[in-house]
Amino acid sequence: MGECAYREGELYVSVAHASYDRQSFRDVVDHTKGQPVTEPGLGDAAYSFHVQEDAQDHVLLDVLKGSRVVQITAPTAEEARKAASSVLPQLR
């Protein structure tokens, strides 16, 4: 399994290059802290989580696209979705 990562300020994007399917992706979602919210229209399946750490709020977005998982951490859900919309078309 490999991973690519990109960070700019409070935006963090990672792509896991492993063989995920819907069940293993669901396992990732189930083990993420917080209540998942379905994010329609992103990849094959997507969930966001509002997380508070060190008195800061941020959004974690997990997206399944094919056999890859993209995880995005951003200050807002809008920024997370915008980053996902830029990254997902690049994955084949």
Side-chain angles (χ1 to χ4, degrees):
M1 176 169 117
E3 183 176 296
C4 298
Y6 171 80
R7 181 180 198 110
E8 182 176 302
E10 294 182 52
L11 175 67
Y12 181 79
V13 178
S14 69
V15 179
H17 296 281
S19 188
Y20 285 89
D21 59 22
R22 284 191 179 268
Q23 182 56 52
S24 56
F25 176 66
R26 188 63 209 191
D27 292 342
V28 169
V29 170
D30 289 344
H31 288 93
T32 302
K33 185 171 63 173
Q35 181 66 37
V37 175
T38 303
E39 293 288 343
L42 294 175
D44 300 318
Y47 298 90
S48 65
F49 304 83
H50 289 276
V51 180
Q52 185 175 32
E53 292 179 338
D54 301 326
Q56 275 193 308
D57 288 333
H58 60 272
V59 172
L60 174 65
L61 177 63
D62 288 339
V63 182
L64 174 67
K65 172 131 187 219
S67 62
R68 296 181 184 160
V69 171
V70 177
Q71 293 186 312
I72 298 170
T73 304
T76 66
E78 181 180 337
E79 289 179 70
R81 283 190 293 273
K82 184 177 175 183
S85 294
S86 294
V87 171
L88 295 174
Q90 306 306 315
L91 301 178
R92 295 186 171 88

